[in-house]
Amino acid sequence: MHAAFIQSLALAHRQATAPLPAEAFCALADQLLQVLFPERTARPLNSTDALEAVLYHWQTELAELLRAVLSPQEADQIAATCMAGLPQLRDKLLHDAAAIVAADPAAQGTVEVISTYPGFYAIALHRFAHGLYQLRVPRVPRLLSEYAHARTGIDIHPGARIGPSFCIDHGTGIVIGETAVIGAYVKIFQGVTLGALSVAKHMANLKRHPTIEDHTVIYAGATILGGSTVVGSHSIIGGNVWLTESVPSHSRVYHRAQIHVTRSEDPTADITFSI
């Protein structure tokens, strides 16, 4: 084998950044959800002492793992900040669960949503990852978002700003970009993309993804693109819509496909569909 190639590989290995303890971070995120929501665990903790001990251990382990990307002092400080924010995180997620129950006729209650719905799980991991993102923790927020993506098919960049009472219905194939802003009481169905019109690298520090204002519903397969695109509050974006410009509040935006169904007079003939 060529010596220069081996030397280049050796240099790459010497310069490589240490890998994140990915499994440990993901397990810690799942443990957090189990503590915050006993519906997600087979072993609920029924005493304050047990809960305090588990949360103390969680904070200690988070600080230890964060030392892979931060100084010990920074890791300890951020772990303490995360611990202090847990009441607010749980409250936000309870409102998300309630929004899903209110919007989904199939939902049998918050216990079912919290314990089984992929949309809730994706939102929960996003809110945790977004908190780390805001604290400028490198790499870890994206690790958690990709973990949620792999488990649910829902791809939410940790930088996306999502307001309270967010509802994801079904969820598979949803993509929400880094600079997207979503208001309160927004509902999004499967296959929705909140993306950028351009992916040029020089736009890295610009707003590239749309803003979705309060009480908006976006149906399956809709694509909304651009950092200056604003969907006004109380709007409905229909399925398969392609939108690259702003619409005012209370808008109804639909993709109109013409579908014709014809049947031959011969009862044995096939039905013909044309779109």
Side-chain angles (χ1 to χ4, degrees):
M1 189 168 290
H2 201 285
F5 173 66
I6 298 298
Q7 290 176 357
S8 68
L9 280 181
L11 177 62
H13 278 258
R14 286 195 297 270
Q15 295 177 340
T17 302
L20 288 174
E23 291 186 6
F25 269 118
C26 296
L28 199 64
D30 282 331
Q31 182 189 13
L32 174 63
L33 294 185
Q34 291 172 7
V35 173
L36 294 181
F37 301 102
E39 300 90 336
R40 297 189 62 88
T41 180
R43 297 181 178 180
L45 303 171
N46 56 11
S47 74
T48 56
D49 289 344
L51 283 167
E52 287 179 357
V54 168
L55 286 173
Y56 175 79
H57 179 267
W58 181 86
Q59 180 181 345
T60 302
E61 187 172 354
L62 177 61
E64 184 64 30
L65 291 175
L66 286 173
R67 294 183 184 193
V69 293
L70 299 169
S71 70
Q73 182 179 0
E74 290 173 322
D76 290 346
Q77 184 176 7
I78 286 178
T81 300
C82 289
M83 175 66 78
L86 292 185
Q88 184 181 17
L89 175 62
R90 185 173 190 273
D91 184 64
K92 284 183 178 179
L93 292 175
L94 285 173
H95 281 85
D96 293 327
I100 294 172
V101 172
D104 183 1
Q108 298 299 307
T110 55
V111 171
E112 181 184 50
V113 167
I114 290 171
S115 61
T116 67
Y117 271 44
F120 176 81
Y121 183 81
I123 295 167
L125 257 64
H126 169 74
R127 294 207 185 277
F128 179 44
H130 181 68
L132 296 175
Y133 180 92
Q134 288 184 306
L135 293 169
R136 301 185 181 278
V137 175
R139 299 167 60 196
V140 178
R142 193 59 185 264
L143 167 69
L144 295 174
S145 70
E146 290 303 325
Y147 176 60
H149 182 195
R151 290 195 59 178
T152 66
I154 299 167
D155 184 0
I156 309 176
H157 191 284
R161 292 160 49 195
I162 298 178
S165 299
F166 183 46
C167 173
I168 289 178
D169 200 339
H170 301 296
T172 305
I174 284 176
V175 177
I176 301 175
E178 178 184 18
T179 62
V181 178
I182 299 174
Y185 298 97
V186 171
K187 181 178 181 180
I188 295 182
F189 284 80
Q190 69 273 17
V192 167
T193 297
L194 304 181
L197 273 171
S198 172
V199 292
K201 192 63 179 178
H202 71 271
M203 299 180 68
N205 296 319
L206 301 177
K207 189 177 187 303
R208 308 180 304 282
H209 307 91
T211 295
I212 311 299
E213 294 185 347
D214 301 348
H215 296 279
T216 291
V217 179
I218 308 175
Y219 282 100
T223 298
I224 306 173
L225 305 177
S228 62
T229 301
V230 178
V231 176
S233 64
H234 297 86
S235 291
I236 296 176
I237 308 300
N240 299 318
V241 163
W242 181 276
L243 188 63
T244 59
E245 58 186 45
S246 297
V247 297
S249 297
H250 299 276
S251 294
R252 303 291 183 267
V253 184
Y254 295 103
H255 171 73
R256 294 189 179 277
Q258 293 185 345
I259 301 175
H260 304 281
V261 180
T262 61
R263 180 188 290 273
S264 170
E265 294 299 326
D266 180 357
T268 64
D270 292 335
I271 299 174
T272 302
F273 296 87
S274 63
I275 300 176

